[in-house]
Amino acid sequence: MFSQELWLENEKKCAVVRKPKQGRKRQELLAVALGVKVGVKGGFLWPPLKLFACPQISSLVRRAALTHNDNHFNYEKTHNFKVHTFRGPHWCEYCANFMWGLIAQGVRCSDCGLNVHKQCSKHVPNDCQPDLKRIKKVYCCDLTTLVKAHNTQRPMVVDICIREIEARGLKSEGLYRVSGFTEHIEDVKMAFDRDGEKADISANIYPDINIITGALKLYFRDLPIPVITYDTYSKFIEAAKIANADERLEAVHEVLMLLPPAHYETLRYLMIHLKKVTMNEKDNFMNAENLGIVFGPTLMRSPEDSTLTTLHDMRYQKLIVQILIENEDVLF
């Protein structure tokens, strides 16, 4: 057994992202991650167990939390109801009652086609399953709607582009900073909108890797709701303003948990990729700070359409992306 003095000394050295009131929960999660059981009688084992696992505790707890968090990858989606005039008799698909009237008898979900009364729409659960026939575009389409329609964890554009970039472009100088020709980037966009996952973006068609990186950045910019959503934007900015590094990291972690599951998974996958980009910094000259400058305004946009606010928040946007890249193994 470790002595109490040794335990206290090492406790101070451990750089662990945690919150005191969540101690018991993290103890249980770490136990799950390590495959051990820490009960009431085994509580005395916790200090040496924590000491043993200190270097890996953050990532272990995080991965255990993800395993036991039913919210993530449970891609709920609200219906996109719009007032609709039905031709002929129609019945509400929620209450099964007749829709009376000659015009605007009810509402229809533009993503899945569900027809209900306007009042019933307030009680319909978030179980929209978009119909591919109704999804006309890949770009400019809501992120959750797209992944639900294609039954994927992430948008196909993100998967295909990142796969191509990692296959032949990680050592390209100025990766993501250097822009490709706008006309060719638009061609890639049209290819995804037209052919979906069958779009050909290989080196035979687009030898310049900057065209692919430009198409990926354009996809993120064209999202109606950014990857870092409008609802969480102000919370991320406030977290970036925290002076203490550990407290700032903890605050970022807490706000990440507020992202919709599809947005969270897309951000996680992108940060893993960008971490690989920084590992080739000697060749591509792109570190986490440089990538933060590029992706800050791309992944997060202020809900306020104000140029002054945008300029003021740019440094915090850059810092948030930089933190996410540098700590992706802890935060995700």
Side-chain angles (χ1 to χ4, degrees):
M1 293 295 289
F2 295 94
S3 67
Q4 184 176 2
E5 292 78 10
L6 180 60
W7 160 247
L8 292 174
E9 179 181 352
N10 282 275
E11 172 69 1
K12 295 178 182 179
K13 296 180 181 180
C14 293
V16 182
V17 179
R18 65 186 185 276
K19 215 170 188 178
K21 65 179 181 181
Q22 296 176 342
R24 180 61 186 174
K25 182 65 176 178
R26 290 188 174 241
Q27 174 179 340
E28 295 170 355
L29 288 173
L30 181 59
V32 171
L34 295 176
V36 299
K37 184 176 182 180
V38 181
V40 177
K41 295 182 179 179
F44 67 92
L45 292 175
W46 174 240
L49 176 64
K50 191 176 180 183
L51 175 64
F52 168 76
C54 191
Q56 296 93 9
I57 187 171
S58 295
S59 58
L60 281 171
V61 169
R62 182 71 189 99
R63 298 183 198 289
L66 279 180
T67 304
H68 288 75
N69 189 347
D70 294 331
N71 180 46
H72 287 291
F73 308 115
N74 180 21
Y75 289 9
E76 289 189 353
K77 181 188 177 304
T78 57
H79 290 273
N80 186 17
F81 287 119
K82 295 182 179 179
V83 176
H84 189 77
T85 296
F86 299 95
R87 294 182 179 180
H90 269 77
W91 282 261
C92 176
E93 297 178 40
Y94 180 76
C95 70
N97 290 323
F98 186 73
M99 292 184 176
W100 298 95
L102 297 176
I103 60 172
Q105 303 98 321
V107 294
R108 169 178 287 176
C109 177
S110 59
D111 293 332
C112 69
L114 182 69
N115 303 317
V116 297
H117 289 113
K118 186 176 181 180
Q119 291 300 319
C120 290
S121 66
K122 300 175 183 178
H123 308 288
V124 175
N126 298 332
D127 58 356
C128 178
Q129 181 58 51
D131 186 347
L132 274 175
K133 296 178 181 179
R134 297 176 180 273
I135 308 300
K136 299 179 181 179
K137 293 183 177 181
V138 172
Y139 279 68
C140 303
C141 178
D142 174 69
L143 195 154
T144 301
T145 299
L146 187 66
V147 298
K148 286 278 286 186
H150 290 272
N151 194 28
T152 57
Q153 288 187 354
R154 297 172 297 273
M156 69 180 78
V157 179
V158 177
D159 278 351
I160 295 173
C161 286
I162 286 181
R163 200 158 51 234
E164 190 69 23
I165 293 165
E166 292 186 352
R168 60 184 174 100
L170 285 179
K171 295 185 178 181
S172 177
E173 184 176 341
L175 189 66
Y176 286 112
R177 179 178 56 80
V178 178
S179 300
F181 287 108
T182 304
E183 297 83 359
H184 294 165
I185 293 174
E186 287 294 329
D187 287 343
V188 174
K189 174 182 176 179
M190 292 176 60
F192 277 114
D193 284 339
R194 182 182 64 249
D195 304 325
E197 59 186 11
K198 295 181 180 179
D200 186 2
I201 61 170
S202 64
N204 294 330
I205 309 297
Y206 302 104
D208 183 5
I209 197 64
N210 297 313
I211 296 172
I212 310 304
T213 59
L216 181 60
K217 290 187 293 182
L218 179 62
Y219 172 75
F220 289 130
R221 287 197 301 270
D222 280 354
L223 285 173
I225 300 176
V227 176
I228 293 178
T229 61
Y230 293 125
D231 291 340
T232 60
Y233 179 85
S234 60
K235 295 181 178 64
F236 272 109
I237 296 298
E238 289 304 315
K241 294 178 180 179
I242 298 175
N244 183 276
D246 289 340
E247 293 179 3
R248 182 171 59 232
L249 192 60
E250 176 67 13
V252 171
H253 171 266
E254 290 181 358
V255 184
L256 276 174
M257 295 296 96
L258 301 178
L259 288 175
H263 288 246
Y264 175 92
E265 170 58 20
T266 301
L267 186 62
R268 182 194 70 84
Y269 189 72
L270 177 63
M271 291 305 116
I272 292 174
H273 163 65
L274 294 182
K275 188 67 172 285
K276 294 178 183 178
V277 173
T278 63
M279 293 170 66
N280 290 272
E281 182 185 352
K282 291 183 179 179
D283 298 301
N284 59 37
F285 301 105
M286 295 299 289
N287 56 27
E289 184 178 2
N290 294 335
L291 290 170
I293 295 173
V294 173
F295 278 95
T298 302
L299 298 177
M300 52 193 306
R301 302 192 296 270
S302 172
E304 301 177 14
D305 190 13
S306 168
T307 304
L308 186 61
T309 301
T310 302
L311 292 174
H312 179 267
D313 290 349
M314 282 185 67
R315 58 173 176 168
Y316 299 117
Q317 293 173 348
K318 181 216 62 165
L319 181 58
I320 286 296
V321 175
Q322 182 179 343
I323 291 171
L324 293 176
I325 296 172
E326 293 175 342
N327 300 278
E328 60 84 17
D329 57 333
V330 174
L331 292 172
F332 295 97

